[in-house]
Amino acid sequence: VAQLFPKPTSDRVTFTFTGEGLLNAWDIMDASGRVVAQIAVEGHATSTTIDVSALDAGMYLATPTGDGMSHVEPVTFQVIR
């Protein structure tokens, strides 16, 4: 299960993942489906806080990727200014 907080955000967001498999990264996609960032996860950590202040205001999808992970639904978040 992928989750994130706070929603909406203006500067930082914390991603959490619980489930099968080893988390390697979070792919961040804009509303058009373009990957705008790929955030590496060190040591397969289950919680990662990242700076999103460089992203334009709008809606984004975050998808966890990793080894041995079955399909995980992406989570949405909004960057506000």
Side-chain angles (χ1 to χ4, degrees):
V1 174
Q3 298 178 320
L4 61 89
F5 61 90
K7 293 185 199 177
T9 187
S10 61
D11 57 357
R12 295 189 179 277
V13 66
T14 298
F15 298 99
T16 61
F17 173 77
T18 55
E20 294 183 26
L22 298 174
L23 180 63
N24 293 332
W26 287 90
D27 290 337
I28 311 298
M29 293 167 278
D30 64 14
S32 69
R34 181 176 56 102
V35 175
V36 295
Q38 187 173 49
I39 311 303
V41 175
E42 294 186 30
H44 307 292
T46 58
S47 180
T48 304
T49 300
I50 64 163
D51 181 356
V52 295
S53 62
L55 296 177
D56 292 335
M59 296 298 294
Y60 293 87
L61 288 174
T63 304
T65 61
D67 301 326
M69 294 175 64
S70 57
H71 177 72
V72 179
E73 290 293 321
V75 290
T76 60
F77 67 101
Q78 181 180 17
V79 174
I80 58 173
R81 297 285 169 242

